[in-house]
Amino acid sequence: MLDQALSQKLRQIVGENYYRDDREALVAHSYDGTPMLQSLPDGVIYPDNTQQVAEIIKHLAEHRVPVVTRGSGTNLSGGTVPVHGGVVMVMHRMNRILDIDLQNLTATVQPGILTGDFITHIESLGLFYPPDPSSMRISTIGGNIAECSGGLRGLKYGTTKDYVIGLEAVLASGEIIRTGGKLMKDVAGYDLTKLLVGSEGTLAVITEATLKLVPPPKSKKTMIAMYKDLYGAARTVSRIIEAKMIPATLEFMDNPTIRVVDDYAKLGLKRDMDAILLIEQDGDPEAVERDIERIREICESEKADQIEVAKNQEHAEKLLTARRSAFTALARLRPTTILEDATVPRSQIAEMVLRINEIAQKYNVTIATFGHAGDGNLHPTATTDARDADEIHRVELAFEEIFEAAIELGGTITGEHGVGMVKAPYLEWKIGKTGIEIMRGIKQAFDPHNLLNPGKMFANESRKRVVLNRA
Amino acid sequence: MAKSLHLKLDYDQLTNCMRCGFCLPACPTYRETGVEPESPRGRIALMKAVADGIMDPDLAFQKQMNHCLGCRACEPVCPADVKYGQLIEQARDAIEDHANHSVSVNGIRKLVFQGIFPHRKRLKWLGRSLFFYQKSGLRKVVRGSGVMRLFPQHLSEMERILPEATARGVVERLGTFYPAKGETIARVAFFRGCIMDVLFSETNVNTVKLLSEAGFEVVIPNEQACCGALHAHSGEMELAKQLARTNLKVFKEAGVEYIVSNAGGCGALLVEYDHLLREDPEYHELAKWFASRVIDVSLLVLEHGRIPEFAQANTDSSEPLTITYQDSCHLRNVMKSSSAPRQLMRQVANVRFIEMKESDRCCGSAGIYNVTQPQMSGQLLEHKMEHANRTGAKYLLSSNPGCLLQMKLGIHRSGVSEQMEAKHVVDFLYERIVETPQPSDGTT
C-alpha cells in the first residue's frame, strides 16, 4: 500500500474514481497475457492527459515508487506485470485521434487507442497502417509502440518501428520531451524516437505518437502449398526472396501444428505433410498475378505435394483458416499454452524447426511450431499445464535450448514479443556483456532511480519464471 | 464463502484461461467501462484469486460477479474454450449460499424463485392478476395516483411497456396436442416457458401453428416446469436442478424427436441440462438425451421442416418493408443459432432486411439484469437503440422474451413508438404465412 499522503495526492491529480487501491483493482492488474506470471501492484491509476501523467510521475519519483505503464495487457513477455509493486498506469482513457494529416499522410494519436479501431478508421479514409499484431482488436497503439509489435505483414511492410515518426513522452523526472515529428527525414542528433519504440516502458511513458500512413494495396491474392519435405518448404521461402519477390504474407506451419489444426478445424489437411506455406501477395493486380504465378512455379519445382491458389475472396478465407486456427487449436490441447517467438535468418527455418523438434523430444514435451516464415519469426508453442511443476521445468529447459539454438543459427531470442521478464535471462546471449552495459547506461541516463517498469529487460540472477503456487 | 467458492469453482476452467485478452472486445461491460475487472479475463482472475486465497470474496467481488450480464459473448471468441458461463454461475451459486440479503430482498427472492416460477398454477394466477390490473381500470388509478413515482424510473417504465398478460396459456388455448399440416415429418415437444406463456402466449400459439405448417406434430406436455434459467443465473443452483429433473421426466414420456424452444434464454439452459446435472448419476444420461434434442424453432423449421411460403401481409404497398433483428445472446452464443432466424426472415416477400450495427451485442436485458443493474442496462440499451433507429426498420425482431421487453422499453424511451414495433420472429413469420391448402390425398 502506498503512503497515505501520496495516494491522496494521486487521487487529487486524476479524481477520486481514477485512482484505485482496492483488492479488486490490484488483482485485475497483476498479470498480462503471459502465462504463470502474477504480482500485485500497490495502486492503479488512469490518467486523462499528458499533464496528469507528468504530475503523477513527478510525485511517484519523489517517493521513489515504481510505475508500470500498460494498455490492454495482451503482451507475452511479462512486460506489464508489476513485479516490484508500485503503481500500474492504465492508458485507456487517453484514446483520442488528435490529427489526421492528409497532406503529410500522418496520424497523431494518444497511446490508449485500440489498434484495431485505429486501423478501421484509417481504412475508412482510404489509407493504410500496416502493422497488424494478432491481438490488434484489443491491443493499444501505445502498447504496440512500447513492445515494437510485429504481425503478419512484417515481411513486406515492416513492423511498428517503421511507422512511428514522432513521439511525445514523459521522462522519469516528470519532464515532457518531443522527438521527431511529421518528418520523413530527420537526423538531428540520436534517434530518440526509434530508441523509445520497443523500450518496453523502461525509458519513458509515451503519451502521444505520430504515425506514418501509406496508400493501401489495390489487390491481393492468396495461395497455399503443402510439402512432404520440410527442406522443400524452406527452400521455397529462400528462393522466393532470391527471385526478388517480397510477399505480403509468408506463413508457415509444421507437422505437429498441421495435425492439431486438422483435428480442430476439420479442414481435411493431409496429416503426413511436414510443412504448409501460406502465401499472400498484394499490390497492382497485374504484378500480383505475375508474382503469384512465379511463386507457384517455385513451389512446384520444390516438389510441393499440393498447391492451391484462391479463386476468389471466399476461397482465400478458406485457405487462411488453417493458419488462423493454429493458435486456437493449440490453446485447446492443454490448460497452459506458452507461445514463444524465437527468430532466425529465413534461410535457417528448416534447420531451426528440426532443432525445435529434437529439443522437444529430448525433454519429452509437446512443442508445435508455426509462424512468419518470410521474416524467420517462428512461434514454437508449448502445450502444458501450469500445475505440473515437473513438466513446466522441462518446458523451461527446452525453451532455454531453443533460444540457444536460435542464437547459434544467427537469430535472436525474441522477434516481436519483447524481452520483458521472460527473455531477460537470455538477453546477454544475444547482445553480449558490452551490449548489456551500454543498454544499462542508456537506462541510467533516462531513469537514474530505476522507477520505470523495473525488473524488465535486465535480469538479476534468476532464470526461472515466477510461478504462482496455488495457496 | 471463500471456502464454498473454492469448492464450487471449476479449477480446471480457471487454469484454462490463458489471459490472452481476446475476450475483452467481446464483453459489453468491458466495452462500456474500459476497466479490466469488468472483463471476462478480469472476472476469472478475481475468481482464481479467491480460489487461490490471495483475495477475499468481499462485497466488491460479489458486486463484480453480479455486474456480468451473462451474455456469454466471450465464449465463442475464446481460443482456449474456457466455459465462462459455467464459472460465473458457480461463483454466483457460492455467493448466494452465504448471501446476506436484507429481509425484503430475501423475501422477494424467495417469492420469485421458490414461490412463483416453479409453480404453474401460481404463474397462471400471476398472469390473471396482471391481466386484471391492466384491464380493470386499476392501472389507470395507479398511474393517475402517481404512486408509480415512488418506484425507480426504470420500474415504472417497465410497467408501461409490459404486454397484456393472460392466464390462458398455449395449452389452455390449443390443448396438449396439435397435428401437423400435411405429411408428418416428426413429432416434437414444445417448451412453453413461463414469461412466454404469461406475457407472450400469442407467440406460443403462433409457434405451435408455425411448427404444424412446417410439418411437425406438436406435443405440449402440461406438466412441464420452468426451465430454471433465472435460478441458475442468480445462484439458485439446487432449485434449477430440481426443475430440470421434472422436465427430463415429463419430456422423456412425450416420446419426441425434438424439444422445441422459442426463447433463447430458456433454450440455452435446456441445451446445457447435461452439464447442469453432470454430477447426478441418476439423471445424467437422461439429461444428455434431452440436451441433444433441444432446438430453436427457427433452426428446426429451416433445417428439418417444410418451409412455408411467406408473403407480405400488406401487398398493396410496393415499398419493401424494412426489418432488423436483435440477436438473443443465449440463442447466438450458446445455442449457436444466429443465421437461421435471419434466413427465415429474408424469405418473407418484399422485405428489406437491414442488419443493425452490433446486433450481436447484448441489449442489456439479460434475465433480470435490467431490474437489478438499471444503470449499465440503460447505457447498453441506449447504444442499442441508436443502432436500431439508424436502420429505419418498421419491425425490430428478436427471439427471446427478455430481449423483446427490453426492445419495447428502448422503443418507448427513444420516442419512436409511432415508427417502430418490437416483435418475436415467430409472430412476424406466422402472420405472413400463405396457408397450405389441404393435401389432396386426404392426410391431415
Side-chain angles (χ1 to χ4, degrees):
Chain A
M1 215 42 74
L2 296 185
D3 172 302
Q4 186 82 39
L6 177 60
S7 54
Q8 202 45 46
K9 189 69 215 169
L10 294 176
R11 281 200 172 89
Q12 261 173 29
I13 296 170
V14 290
E16 200 57 41
N17 290 334
Y18 296 109
Y19 176 77
R20 289 180 62 180
D21 52 12
D22 54 291
R23 204 69 178 165
E24 176 185 275
L26 302 187
V27 166
H29 295 89
S30 64
Y31 56 83
D32 58 22
T34 323
M36 299 185 297
L37 293 180
Q38 187 157 24
S39 177
L40 294 177
D42 295 300
V44 182
I45 199 160
Y46 304 84
D48 177 64
N49 56 57
T50 308
Q51 284 311 321
Q52 286 187 359
V53 174
E55 264 196 79
I56 293 164
I57 299 278
K58 237 177 234 160
H59 282 93
L60 293 177
E62 263 172 37
H63 289 77
R64 301 282 189 269
V65 172
V67 57
V68 179
T69 320
R70 72 170 245 173
S72 304
T74 54
N75 80 83
L76 293 167
S77 58
T80 48
V81 178
V83 263
H84 289 211
V87 171
V88 167
M89 186 150 70
V90 185
M91 304 305 281
H92 274 156
R93 291 175 71 210
M94 293 176 63
N95 60 7
R96 291 179 279 275
I97 295 178
L98 300 170
D99 170 49
I100 302 233
D101 183 338
L102 294 176
Q103 282 176 328
N104 287 307
L105 284 194
T106 63
T108 303
V109 301
Q110 291 187 314
I113 187 169
L114 298 185
T115 309
D117 289 355
F118 172 68
I119 288 179
T120 307
H121 182 72
I122 289 304
E123 289 181 352
S124 76
L125 300 173
L127 290 164
F128 190 37
Y129 175 75
D132 62 340
S134 300
S135 55
M136 71 178 187
R137 278 199 65 204
I138 188 62
S139 63
T140 58
I141 287 284
N144 289 174
I145 293 174
E147 300 289 323
C148 189
S149 304
L152 265 62
R153 299 196 277 239
L155 168 63
K156 180 169 182 172
Y157 292 100
T159 59
T160 304
K161 66 175 183 297
D162 302 302
Y163 294 87
V164 181
I165 53 174
L167 289 171
E168 177 195 74
V170 175
L171 299 176
S173 57
E175 285 162 296
I176 301 167
I177 58 162
R178 280 188 169 273
T179 73
K182 293 179 179 177
L183 297 163
M184 295 303 136
K185 284 183 177 175
D186 181 5
V187 291
Y190 297 139
D191 191 344
L192 294 181
T193 312
K194 288 280 188 289
L195 183 59
L196 291 183
V197 177
S199 64
E200 305 187 15
T202 61
L203 298 183
V205 177
I206 291 159
T207 47
E208 193 182 300
T210 300
L211 307 169
K212 184 170 80 178
L213 307 173
V214 294
K218 290 199 179 71
S219 74
K220 185 156 97 176
K221 218 150 179 165
T222 308
M223 64 176 286
I224 195 167
M226 307 188 197
Y227 297 83
K228 278 211 172 106
D229 168 26
L230 189 60
Y231 281 97
R235 274 196 304 270
T236 302
V237 174
S238 305
R239 283 191 51 201
I240 291 171
I241 312 282
E242 250 176 283
K244 301 184 183 62
M245 286 181 287
I246 307 286
T249 298
L250 181 37
E251 295 288 303
F252 165 87
M253 282 168 41
D254 75 347
N255 174 274
T257 314
I258 295 169
R259 285 164 178 269
V260 174
V261 166
D262 195 54
D263 284 342
Y264 166 70
K266 309 270 183 285
L267 296 167
L269 300 173
K270 291 190 176 172
R271 302 168 68 96
D272 57 341
M273 293 293 154
D274 253 10
I276 289 182
L277 290 179
L278 174 86
I279 305 160
E280 280 193 323
Q281 182 58 304
D282 65 10
D284 285 327
E286 283 164 38
V288 169
E289 285 293 338
R290 203 170 52 232
D291 278 2
I292 287 288
E293 187 47 37
R294 279 166 66 201
I295 291 171
R296 202 173 61 85
E297 283 164 17
I298 294 175
C299 295
E300 270 167 11
S301 71
E302 291 300 341
K303 308 215 167 34
D305 199 77
Q306 200 174 321
I307 300 168
E308 255 188 281
V309 179
K311 291 177 220 57
N312 49 39
Q313 188 52 37
E314 202 183 326
H315 190 193
E317 285 298 317
K318 205 184 140 225
L319 298 184
L320 286 165
T321 309
R323 170 61 178 87
R324 285 196 188 137
S325 318
F327 179 53
T328 304
L330 288 165
R332 289 176 187 216
L333 280 188
R334 300 275 306 278
T336 309
T337 309
I338 305 178
L339 184 142
E340 285 297 359
D341 61 336
T343 301
V344 291
R346 45 201 172 205
S347 60
Q348 300 287 356
I349 286 171
E351 189 57 36
M352 186 64 200
V353 172
L354 290 179
R355 294 277 276 275
I356 292 169
N357 291 347
E358 280 166 24
I359 294 166
Q361 217 164 20
K362 174 177 164 192
Y363 289 100
N364 188 25
V365 291
T366 309
I367 298 180
T369 304
F370 61 95
H372 319 299
D375 41 35
N377 180 192
L378 295 173
H379 291 304
T381 303
T383 53
T384 175
D385 189 333
R387 290 163 294 186
D388 184 340
D390 180 61
E391 186 175 294
I392 289 293
H393 182 62
R394 281 183 281 121
V395 168
E396 282 174 345
L397 291 176
F399 272 122
E400 196 163 306
E401 229 172 287
I402 287 171
F403 299 139
E404 215 175 328
I407 301 267
E408 228 175 86
L409 296 172
T412 182
I413 53 170
T414 168
E416 59 182 5
H417 295 168
V419 176
M421 289 168 70
V422 174
K423 305 296 178 64
Y426 312 109
L427 181 61
E428 200 180 310
W429 295 3
K430 167 66 185 155
I431 61 167
K433 258 201 164 25
T434 319
I436 293 273
E437 265 167 43
I438 200 90
M439 283 193 187
R440 277 192 191 276
I442 293 169
K443 168 76 174 165
Q444 175 73 21
F446 270 89
D447 179 20
H449 302 296
N450 191 24
L451 298 176
L452 298 180
N453 205 5
K456 312 299 159 62
M457 199 104 75
F458 306 107
N460 302 328
E461 292 305 305
S462 161
R463 294 177 147 216
K464 288 244 173 80
R465 293 187 180 204
V466 185
V467 179
L468 178 87
N469 288 318
R470 194 176 168 185
Chain B
M1 187 189 302
K3 201 172 161 199
S4 61
L5 275 157
H6 192 86
L7 285 173
K8 285 192 169 158
L9 284 168
D10 181 341
Y11 204 83
D12 281 341
Q13 290 299 332
L14 291 176
T15 314
N16 272 342
C17 170
M18 54 182 174
R19 297 172 171 167
C20 62
F22 283 19
C23 56
L24 271 61
C27 175
T29 56
Y30 178 78
R31 277 261 304 239
E32 283 298 317
T33 61
V35 179
E36 180 75 21
E38 298 265 8
S39 73
R41 177 174 73 171
R43 292 192 180 105
I44 290 177
L46 296 176
M47 291 178 212
K48 188 161 187 294
V50 169
D52 285 338
I54 59 171
M55 180 177 173
D56 291 326
D58 56 11
L59 203 62
F61 172 84
Q62 297 172 36
K63 271 191 170 166
Q64 190 52 262
M65 293 306 122
N66 288 329
H67 214 220
C68 167
L69 292 146
C71 71
R72 297 171 71 172
C74 49
E75 288 186 29
V77 297
C78 175
D81 196 24
V82 173
K83 308 283 185 215
Y84 174 85
Q86 294 168 11
L87 284 172
I88 194 79
E89 282 180 6
Q90 289 157 7
R92 287 179 181 170
D93 188 27
I95 290 169
E96 269 321 308
D97 283 354
H98 301 267
N100 208 355
H101 292 308
S102 64
V103 178
S104 64
V105 169
N106 252 338
I108 290 173
R109 284 186 71 97
K110 204 171 168 190
L111 176 70
V112 171
F113 290 126
Q114 297 176 26
I116 298 177
F117 276 87
H119 304 284
R120 183 76 205 141
K121 276 190 185 141
R122 294 180 198 171
L123 266 172
K124 274 164 70 177
W125 166 83
L126 188 70
R128 207 165 14 241
S129 316
L130 208 54
F131 178 78
F132 177 75
Y133 167 77
Q134 288 169 333
K135 288 286 159 188
S136 65
L138 185 60
R139 174 155 75 180
K140 269 202 175 133
V141 175
V142 168
R143 285 182 185 173
S145 73
V147 74
M148 282 313 287
R149 277 200 293 268
L150 296 175
F151 291 92
Q153 195 197 351
H154 65 280
L155 284 183
S156 66
E157 279 178 325
M158 200 58 103
E159 185 272 345
R160 270 174 196 276
I161 56 96
L162 223 49
E164 279 178 14
T166 176
R168 280 176 54 77
V170 62
V171 171
E172 288 77 15
R173 294 171 63 180
L174 298 180
T176 55
F177 178 79
Y178 201 83
K181 274 214 175 167
E183 201 180 325
T184 303
I185 295 173
R187 179 179 162 93
V188 304
F190 176 53
F191 188 86
R192 69 184 159 202
C194 305
I195 309 275
M196 281 306 294
D197 218 35
V198 170
L199 290 179
F200 296 96
S201 86
E202 192 65 27
T203 308
N204 272 359
V205 168
N206 288 345
T207 302
V208 173
K209 291 183 174 170
L210 176 69
L211 287 168
S212 160
E213 287 283 341
F216 302 104
E217 62 176 39
V218 189
V219 188
I220 316 163
N222 199 29
E223 297 74 33
Q224 59 178 292
C226 165
C227 66
L230 283 180
H231 305 80
H233 302 328
S234 311
E236 303 283 345
M237 211 48 102
E238 274 315 310
L239 272 172
K241 287 179 189 169
Q242 279 175 32
L243 292 165
R245 290 186 196 104
T246 307
N247 280 328
L248 293 181
K249 282 184 280 192
V250 169
F251 281 90
K252 180 71 185 174
E253 277 164 24
V256 290
E257 275 183 61
Y258 296 101
I259 295 152
V260 189
S261 144
N262 64 358
C266 304
L269 189 75
L270 299 178
V271 90
E272 290 189 335
Y273 267 5
D274 55 336
H275 173 77
L276 183 69
L277 295 171
R278 69 194 177 285
E279 281 160 5
D280 185 331
E282 198 187 333
Y283 281 89
H284 191 217
E285 276 309 307
L286 192 55
K288 282 200 271 189
W289 171 88
F290 182 95
S292 67
R293 275 163 182 73
V294 174
I295 188 167
D296 182 65
V297 53
S298 295
L299 191 61
L300 181 71
V301 170
L302 186 76
E303 287 199 344
H304 305 282
R306 282 190 296 276
I307 303 174
E309 191 187 333
F310 302 110
Q312 192 187 334
N314 180 5
T315 44
D316 309 339
S317 154
S318 56
E319 182 64 18
L321 181 69
T322 312
I323 58 172
T324 191
Y325 180 64
Q326 163 63 30
D327 275 294
S328 144
C329 293
H330 281 181
L331 183 61
R332 183 186 182 94
N333 301 322
V334 186
M335 296 184 85
K336 305 275 193 288
S337 182
S338 58
S339 81
R342 285 179 171 81
Q343 284 186 54
L344 286 180
M345 282 180 266
R346 284 173 196 274
Q347 298 202 10
V348 176
N350 204 23
V351 147
R352 183 168 53 202
F353 179 87
I354 298 185
E355 191 75 63
M356 75 165 121
K357 196 179 161 200
E358 298 183 350
S359 54
D360 58 347
R361 194 163 287 269
C362 180
C363 63
S365 168
I368 51 168
Y369 191 90
N370 53 4
V371 179
T372 58
Q373 307 279 353
Q375 201 196 342
M376 176 59 74
S377 169
Q379 246 169 282
L380 293 169
L381 182 56
E382 208 173 299
H383 299 320
K384 184 61 62 188
M385 291 315 295
E386 281 165 24
H387 299 324
N389 289 335
R390 214 166 289 144
T391 63
K394 173 82 182 81
Y395 289 111
L396 173 50
L397 303 171
S398 191
S399 305
N400 183 56
C403 311
L404 266 178
L405 289 176
Q406 183 83 339
M407 294 299 94
K408 283 177 190 286
L409 186 64
I411 289 169
H412 168 77
R413 271 191 199 168
S414 63
V416 291
S417 311
E418 298 292 309
Q419 299 95 301
M420 190 184 271
E421 191 184 334
K423 236 185 206 308
H424 196 290
V425 171
V426 165
D427 293 328
F428 178 76
L429 293 174
Y430 184 73
E431 285 161 12
R432 282 159 184 80
I433 275 185
V434 180
E435 289 209 23
T436 359
Q438 290 300 319
S440 52
D441 64 2
T443 40
T444 52

